[in-house]
């Protein structure tokens, strides 16, 4: 229920005090767009009728005296649901880049909200502002899921499935009252949703319960299931901006090291390693990726595999038929950061 300014209804409630409208910080666990708000009967007659402003929507509520929980702090007086929608209409069958439009911190304004690796353990959990986005990198993409109420949405990162926002979303207008295209207010964030151009992507059709289903392998290197059909050779350089002129090398039956000479490595698909990951978004292909073993062959034709038998990111290079070789070869994802560019991710330390 939306009402005009407070003066328009203050006198309509006999014996009820009016308090100043506030903007409470509502956690995402409070409303999910589908569930009724449970309101317990009470004999407490000391509550107040309050006009609360939730973003740009004013809602008439009842507040219990000395409320210690959100449920007692903001009970809709007339509305039967906890969800209160905004005025935005967003297409939910697209993927988007989240461009930051908040002006509080000029250093990040117009950059993009993305996920990256938080530490040397390979956890894709760090949210950063970045100038880099890619149709090939789902960690830079966001899906929008419609709630039960018009103008009520969930915004979720496509790769990590992290829900960044749930609640009403509002359009942004300029000083003349004209709507600014694709720009919204979601909670404390002002953002522009830039549609991802996916026209250059290709997808893989697979049988699922005898039905053809398209999967999106573009987020990671995908060479197919046949190890003999596609060129799988790589030169692996350091991801550090200070060491990116150095390449991964090996000393025979020793640890992997960095050096100036580039070594050609070969990828072998791990059998039956393909798996679905990320957020499932209606109308968008599910993400899928596969694991690889990494090997090299010396001038004498001997093959050496990369092993990781510790939790300290220490990789060894061992001849495949030597006594030191074990069955637990290191397994890697090759994460896309741009078209034709990949980041080597050790699945063991990443917990993938």
């Amino acid at each position: 229920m939306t009402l005009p300014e407070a003066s328009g209804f203050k006198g309509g409630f006999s014996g009820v005090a009016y308090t100043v409208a506030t903007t409470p910080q509502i956690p995402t666990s409070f409303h999910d767009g589908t569930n009724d708000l449970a309101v317990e009967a009470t004999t407490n007659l000391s509550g107040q009728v309050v006009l609360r402003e939730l973003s740009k929507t004013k809602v008439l509520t009842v507040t219990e005296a000395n409320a210690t929980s959100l449920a007692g702090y903001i009970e809709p007086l007339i509305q039967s649901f906890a969800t209160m929608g905004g005025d935005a209409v967003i297409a939910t069958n697209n993927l988007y880049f989240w461009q930051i439009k908040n002006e509080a911190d000029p250093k990040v304004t117009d950059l993009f909200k993305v996920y990256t690796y938080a530490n040397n353990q390979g956890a894709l959990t760090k949210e950063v502002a970045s100038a880099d986005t890619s149709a090939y990198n789902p960690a830079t993409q966001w899906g929008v899921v419609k709630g039960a109420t018009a103008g009520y949405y969930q915004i979720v990162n496509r790769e990590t499935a992290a829900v960044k926002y749930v609640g009403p979303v509002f359009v942004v207008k300029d000083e003349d009252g004209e709507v600014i295209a694709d720009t919204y207010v979601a909670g404390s964030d002002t953002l522009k949703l830039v549609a991802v151009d996916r026209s250059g992507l290709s997808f893989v059709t697979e049988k699922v319960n005898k039905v053809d289903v398209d999967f999106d392998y573009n987020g990671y290197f995908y060479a197919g299931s046949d190890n003999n059909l596609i060129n799988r050779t790589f030169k692996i350089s350091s991801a550090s901006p200070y060491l990116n002129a150095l390449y991964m090398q090996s000393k025979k039956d020793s640890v992997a090291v960095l050096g100036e000479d580039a070594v050609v490595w070969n990828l072998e698909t791990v059998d039956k390693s393909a798996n679905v990951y990320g957020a499932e978004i209606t109308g968008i292909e599910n993400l899928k990726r596969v694991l690889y073993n990494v090997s090299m062959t010396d001038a004498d034709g001997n093959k050496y595999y990369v092993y990781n038998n510790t939790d300290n990111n220490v990789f060894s290079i061992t001849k495949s038929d030597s006594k030191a070789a074990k069955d637990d070869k290191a397994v890697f994802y090759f994460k896309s950061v741009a078209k034709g560019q990949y980041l080597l991710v050790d699945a063991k330390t990443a917990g993938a």
Side-chain angles (χ1 to χ4, degrees):
M1 177 179 181
T2 303
L3 297 178
E5 297 299 320
S7 59
F9 70 91
K10 179 179 178 182
F13 298 98
S14 176
V16 178
Y18 172 75
T19 63
V20 178
T22 61
T23 305
Q25 298 297 315
I26 301 180
T28 57
S29 59
F30 171 62
H31 49 73
D32 60 8
T34 57
N35 298 324
D36 289 337
L37 174 65
V39 181
E40 297 181 359
T42 178
T43 57
N44 183 359
L45 302 179
S46 59
Q48 294 179 324
V49 175
V50 180
L51 182 67
R52 297 207 180 280
E53 185 175 348
L54 305 179
S55 189
K56 295 183 180 180
T57 300
K58 294 180 175 65
V59 180
L60 193 62
T61 66
V62 174
T63 297
E64 296 178 7
N66 302 318
T68 57
S69 67
L70 188 62
Y73 180 71
I74 175 170
E75 304 282 16
L77 182 63
I78 298 174
Q79 186 170 322
S80 60
F81 290 88
T83 56
M84 292 157 278
D87 57 2
V89 178
I90 305 173
T92 56
N93 60 343
N94 289 338
L95 293 171
Y96 299 94
F97 300 127
W98 177 321
Q99 188 173 29
I100 300 168
K101 289 297 182 179
N102 295 56
E103 299 179 354
D105 186 356
K107 295 191 298 297
V108 302
T109 302
D110 292 332
L111 296 180
F112 295 88
K113 193 181 295 290
V114 305
Y115 273 87
T116 188
Y117 292 94
N119 50 50
N120 61 3
Q121 297 301 312
L124 194 68
T125 57
K126 185 177 181 180
E127 180 189 298
V128 299
S130 172
D132 298 323
T133 59
S134 174
Y136 293 87
N137 186 354
T140 69
Q141 303 167 16
W142 300 82
V144 177
V145 181
K146 190 179 184 304
T149 304
Y152 193 96
Y153 296 95
Q154 177 186 101
I155 305 178
V156 56
N157 184 266
R158 190 186 182 205
E159 176 156 353
T160 67
V163 178
K164 182 59 182 176
Y165 177 75
V166 179
V169 179
F170 301 87
V171 299
V172 175
K173 298 181 180 180
D174 62 20
E175 58 186 12
D176 297 322
E178 297 295 325
V179 173
I180 301 176
D182 305 319
T183 305
Y184 308 97
V185 172
S188 61
D189 288 305
T190 302
L191 63 147
K192 182 175 182 178
L193 292 177
V194 181
V196 179
D197 182 3
R198 307 175 72 222
S199 58
L201 302 181
S202 59
F203 306 100
V204 177
T205 302
E206 299 176 358
K207 289 287 186 182
V208 178
N209 296 325
K210 299 182 179 181
V211 177
D212 287 340
V213 177
D214 287 339
F215 288 98
D216 186 350
Y217 281 89
N218 292 288
Y220 290 75
F221 177 74
Y222 180 62
S225 57
D226 191 333
N227 283 318
N228 299 315
L229 292 181
I230 298 178
N231 182 4
R232 298 160 172 265
T233 58
F234 281 82
K235 296 176 182 178
I236 303 174
S237 65
S238 172
S240 168
Y242 307 105
L243 301 172
N244 56 14
L246 301 179
Y247 295 87
M248 190 169 85
Q249 305 179 345
S250 69
K251 297 178 181 179
K252 291 185 177 180
D253 289 340
S254 184
V255 297
V257 296
L258 293 176
E260 295 181 356
D261 297 326
V263 174
V264 175
W265 299 88
N266 186 66
L267 307 186
E268 297 180 11
T269 302
V270 176
D271 189 38
K272 298 180 180 179
S273 65
N275 64 92
V276 174
Y277 70 100
E280 295 187 6
I281 302 170
T282 301
I284 303 296
E285 299 83 7
N286 283 341
L287 294 165
K288 213 167 186 181
R289 60 188 177 184
V290 297
L291 291 166
Y292 298 94
N293 298 131
V294 176
S295 66
M296 62 166 289
T297 303
D298 66 13
D300 298 323
N302 298 307
K303 181 176 285 189
Y304 296 80
Y305 282 95
V306 177
Y307 290 82
N308 182 6
N309 299 323
T310 73
D311 293 323
N312 299 316
N313 284 335
V314 177
F315 296 93
S316 62
I317 312 296
T318 304
K319 190 175 178 181
S320 60
D321 59 355
S322 69
K323 292 181 179 180
K326 297 181 180 180
D327 293 332
D328 56 342
K329 300 181 182 74
V331 288
F332 299 94
Y333 292 116
F334 282 72
K335 177 171 174 51
S336 298
V337 292
K339 184 177 182 180
Q341 298 179 16
Y342 304 94
L343 186 66
L344 184 66
V345 180
D346 174 43
K348 180 178 180 180
T349 53

